[in-house]
Amino acid sequence: MSRAVFLFNHDAAHQVAHLAPVAGAMARLHPEVETVIAYASDAIRARVEELLRPGDAERIVWRELSLPPVAGAVSSLLDKIAPVTRLARLRVHQPLFAASDAVISTERTCLRVKKRLDPRTAPIFIRVPHGTGDRSVTFHPDHRQFDLSLVAGPKMKEQLVANGVDAAKIEVTGYSKFEGVDVDARPDFFGNGRPTFVYNPHFDPHLSSWYDAGPDLLRWFASDWGQAYNLVFAPHVMLFRKSMHISPEYKVGRMRPEIPEEALAASNVLVDVDGPRLFDMSYMLGADGYIGDASSQLYEFLVRPRPVFLLDPNGALGSQGEETLPFLRTGERVESIPALAAALADWEKSGRKYRHEQEQLIAHTFALSDTPASERAANAITEAIARRRG
């Protein structure tokens, strides 16, 4: 029997929804392949199980990526500098990967294992991207080393090819995170009838708006001027995992500002930096408008087109332009809180202005189909394994 290992080697759950449905479909549709889920922690396993269909968990072989006590303690101390624990798990559990036909991951650290294995006997390494963003880091040169990439739509395939990835090693299979999500849902977190905006800054210290403008944005919503609106502060989950963030891409390092007390006390501001709703699209679906910068969650928000405001206090987004960052076409780009406040006054008009561009970009980003994305991906993985066994 062949074996496919689905790798969940991360300490946060933000990538789980992109891969868990694929693992479930593999176990359900292809019993000729042993489906193994290799997970980093009990919390990650629990989140995976939440996303599986009834009965799928029993068809899966579960392997915890545990570390010896001493190694685990030492690596956790070093995680503030580099992802030492993640790399240690790959080293310790290398025999599991070596004895497999395919390793499927949402991130490229698994390629460390590929480099250490004999290419004549190594498994194929398959990438399922965790998002559909436009940042240049999304197209790291290492992605050329994957044997197969399963992407959400033609936009990402074109971007990967433009960055040197062999088109023959890319398949468009859709966006499995949408499975099990009612994209027409409108959860109400305030119950006061006011327009609700979600603020979703990234953690990258160069591209993110949080470092230069985020706290002031929260203060504005908490002030008398912002009381006409509600705000959900739902940043990328990694933003508050560290106090210091370094961008290898832009050679920038910055201390992360804290959340203002005024915002924490305001009845019209909801702050969530690590809760489960950061991952299940609740905040994206419940908002009337989006405020953000470089996060790929903008594309998830736009699965139902609505007003978008891009906060760019240092001009980092604008300097790259729409050809590099297509999402700049989806809404108004502003560089200050006063400019944003003025734009919000006409938020509905802004939404109508950009709706056509939003619809075109979303159609190009997500290849929707009657066949679930998870099943398309599972079939592609099974076919790749068959070719390997040849």
Side-chain angles (χ1 to χ4, degrees), residues 6 13 20 64 73-74 107 125 152 185 236 239 288 321-322 326 371 389:
F6 289 81
E64 183 175 4
V74 172
E107 59 179 9
F125 281 73
H236 191 293
L239 179 60
D288 297 291
E322 294 179 1
T371 303
R389 293 199 148 212

Side-chain angles (χ1 to χ4, degrees), residues 301-347:
F301 172 85
L302 284 175
V303 72
R304 199 173 71 228
R306 285 159 289 166
V308 167
F309 301 91
L310 299 164
L311 185 55
D312 189 19
N314 64 351
L317 304 180
S319 67
Q320 297 193 40
E322 294 179 1
E323 185 174 344
T324 301
L325 302 177
F327 67 78
L328 289 174
R329 301 197 297 267
T330 65
E332 295 186 48
R333 185 181 68 87
V334 295
E335 295 187 353
S336 68
I337 302 307
L340 176 62
L344 291 180
D346 289 323
W347 64 275

